[in-house]
Amino acid sequence: MRHLTLLILLAVLWACDTSSTTPLSESDYVPLSQDSLPAQTFSKKGKLHNALPLSAIYTPIALDTFQLPIVDGKVVTALQRQRRLLHKKRQRFNRRVGDLRINLDDLTQTVDILESWQHLIPVGMEKELKAHQVWGKDHRGNVKFTAYFAPVIQVSKKPTAVYKYPIRATPKGLRGQLPDRRAIEAGAIDSITQHLAYARSKTDIYYMQLQGSGYVEYADGSRELFAYAGENRHPYRSIESYLATNSKQLGISNVSMQGVKRYLEKRPDLVDSVLNQNPSYTFFRRRQAPPTGAGHVPLTEGMSIAVDKKYIPLGSCLLAAVPILDEDDKVIGHEMKYLFAQDVGGAIKGSGRVDVYFGAGADAERKANSFNAYGRMWLLLPKQQPMPMILASK
């Protein structure tokens, strides 16, 4: 009887093994639209409940625990731009982030591997790539996802009674830290900088600076891209935090971007005092190409992200469980997507937050303003990448 039971068990195992080798068609593969681990629950903002603490900035996770998205045409475009970004680096990149060593060759090889899987069912990709989970601000893998966009603001080529606030180019001849926002707005560097155009609102300029780039639209309907061209090297400070802290005194209840814009339109006497709470100031230059990030390649809508490059190097390819929001901005699930580190942002600090590029114009602005929730991310590297030594948490 024991031998008969063993034979039956072996037959069942053989049947399971042979069936697993049956080729999958595209109709057999269902792209993941909900969290890949259905047994785990999350809050209204997308934070995983009872997530275990991670012991290092990057923790290795086997890729075969995921249902991977297909590398479609849009992903391939982003990958080609990522390769250009990596080729633009002037020196070899090789540094340790936490317990993980990351170098330029591995980042480039990851791009090559992903591109080789274009339009294929990604079954077996785990044989070539390894995932390393980002521990996030809470060290439990919860990463905050916010969004940014390229705004469109009305301008004039020359100053008028209505369009009187200059959009400044990078000043010439100065090195190191430049004057702060208050001094720049008072004209401290106007003798050595060019005024690219004139806007009707300092607040519009401020939020274009915050996004890093934007389109300006002239009276004849023509548009021009003003791209990021550097900063004054003062630390970024959130005016929203300042307004929230002083909300009762100032009489403001909504400190979202739209709320701040509406508030300052009604209180023009407070524009300077509020905006000057942030001493950081961004300069622009004219560009004919689509918006680019700090990696100097065009951004891909929904895939390019701004990161803190001390933790996530520019040129990194990431797998992410991106939050899906309903009409009430409640997280109803997570979508597995490929994301590409191609930009940085003054407000993006540490491994606990990334900014997703949502495109240009009013629709992108509307979507970006409501996108603020939690998901998870994994850095992708070639399989031969040495496994980091993970120390047990005390």
Side-chain angles (χ1 to χ4, degrees), residues 86 92-94 102-112 381-382 384-385:
L86 291 166
R92 291 185 62 81
F93 175 88
N94 189 335
I102 305 172
N103 62 65
L104 184 62
D105 289 340
D106 285 335
L107 296 180
T108 303
Q109 188 178 349
T110 302
V111 172
D112 294 339
L381 291 173
Q384 67 269 23
Q385 171 76 12

Side-chain angles (χ1 to χ4, degrees), residues 86-102:
L86 291 166
H87 287 174
K88 286 175 180 287
K89 287 187 174 291
R90 297 179 181 177
Q91 57 186 1
R92 291 185 62 81
F93 175 88
N94 189 335
R95 80 162 190 263
R96 183 172 293 278
V97 181
D99 295 324
L100 183 66
R101 182 164 294 281
I102 305 172

Side-chain angles (χ1 to χ4, degrees), residues 56-59 93 95-103 107 132-139 143 305-318 341 343-345 347-354 377-381:
I57 296 172
Y58 286 107
T59 301
F93 175 88
R95 80 162 190 263
R96 183 172 293 278
V97 181
D99 295 324
L100 183 66
R101 182 164 294 281
I102 305 172
N103 62 65
L107 296 180
H132 303 265
Q133 184 168 12
V134 181
W135 70 352
K137 186 176 182 179
D138 64 357
H139 299 180
V143 175
I305 58 173
V307 299
D308 184 341
K309 61 182 180 180
K310 293 179 182 178
Y311 293 85
I312 302 173
L314 290 179
S316 298
C317 299
L318 300 111
D343 203 359
V344 299
I348 310 301
K349 300 296 182 185
S351 63
R353 179 182 170 188
V354 296
M377 286 199 317
W378 298 264
L379 174 69
L380 298 176
L381 291 173

Side-chain angles (χ1 to χ4, degrees), residues 24-314:
L24 293 175
S25 67
E26 188 157 351
S27 61
D28 295 319
Y29 181 80
V30 181
L32 190 65
S33 61
Q34 298 293 319
D35 196 282
S36 62
L37 299 173
Q40 294 180 312
T41 59
F42 45 84
S43 70
K44 292 180 180 180
K45 296 298 289 183
K47 277 190 175 183
L48 278 184
H49 291 142
N50 303 319
L52 297 176
L54 302 174
S55 59
I57 296 172
Y58 286 107
T59 301
I61 303 291
L63 260 187
D64 57 8
T65 61
F66 303 98
Q67 288 181 319
L68 300 174
I70 292 176
V71 179
D72 59 18
K74 187 176 179 181
V75 175
V76 171
T77 297
L79 285 166
Q80 292 170 347
R81 292 170 176 174
Q82 195 77 322
R83 184 180 291 106
R84 286 168 53 193
L85 184 158
L86 291 166
H87 287 174
K88 286 175 180 287
K89 287 187 174 291
R90 297 179 181 177
Q91 57 186 1
R92 291 185 62 81
F93 175 88
N94 189 335
R95 80 162 190 263
R96 183 172 293 278
V97 181
D99 295 324
L100 183 66
R101 182 164 294 281
I102 305 172
N103 62 65
L104 184 62
D105 289 340
D106 285 335
L107 296 180
T108 303
Q109 188 178 349
T110 302
V111 172
D112 294 339
I113 291 171
L114 284 172
E115 190 172 9
S116 72
W117 280 87
Q118 59 181 295
H119 305 304
L120 299 175
I121 305 301
V123 176
M125 192 185 290
E126 71 277 1
K127 297 178 182 178
E128 300 182 61
L129 292 174
K130 182 75 176 180
H132 303 265
Q133 184 168 12
V134 181
W135 70 352
K137 186 176 182 179
D138 64 357
H139 299 180
R140 293 175 180 268
N142 291 305
V143 175
K144 179 186 281 190
F145 286 77
T146 53
Y148 68 114
F149 62 98
V152 179
I153 65 174
Q154 305 298 314
V155 300
S156 170
K157 294 182 179 180
K158 296 182 179 180
T160 68
V162 175
Y163 296 93
K164 53 186 177 182
Y165 301 111
I167 302 173
R168 295 175 172 89
T170 307
K172 298 179 180 179
L174 288 182
R175 296 293 182 267
Q177 191 180 64
L178 304 180
D180 65 8
R181 176 179 294 275
R182 184 185 303 274
I184 291 174
E185 292 288 18
I189 61 172
D190 281 355
S191 62
I192 54 172
T193 188
Q194 178 187 5
H195 292 177
L196 300 175
Y198 297 84
R200 64 197 310 168
S201 165
K202 282 186 179 180
T203 308
D204 285 344
I205 298 174
Y206 176 86
Y207 279 110
M208 188 167 77
Q209 291 175 322
L210 206 61
Q211 301 303 321
S213 65
Y215 289 93
V216 298
E217 186 172 274
Y218 299 100
D220 62 2
S222 62
R223 289 185 178 182
E224 194 172 22
L225 175 66
F226 281 9
Y228 173 90
E231 299 178 14
N232 61 346
R233 300 182 183 178
H234 281 259
Y236 168 83
R237 295 197 182 111
S238 169
I239 65 171
E240 289 79 11
S241 295
Y242 164 77
L243 290 169
T245 302
N246 299 277
S247 59
K248 290 184 179 179
Q249 177 186 347
L250 296 173
I252 181 172
S253 58
N254 182 351
V255 295
S256 67
M257 185 176 73
Q258 292 301 322
V260 173
K261 282 185 174 182
R262 287 193 295 267
Y263 174 78
L264 292 179
E265 283 177 3
K266 296 177 181 178
R267 294 296 306 272
D269 56 308
L270 295 179
V271 169
D272 287 330
S273 62
V274 170
L275 298 186
N276 288 341
Q277 295 299 317
N278 180 13
S280 178
Y281 192 94
T282 298
F283 303 102
F284 295 100
R285 58 175 173 158
R286 291 187 173 91
R287 293 271 298 179
Q288 299 301 319
T292 60
H296 306 294
V297 295
L299 300 175
T300 303
E301 182 179 330
M303 292 185 179
S304 296
I305 58 173
V307 299
D308 184 341
K309 61 182 180 180
K310 293 179 182 178
Y311 293 85
I312 302 173
L314 290 179

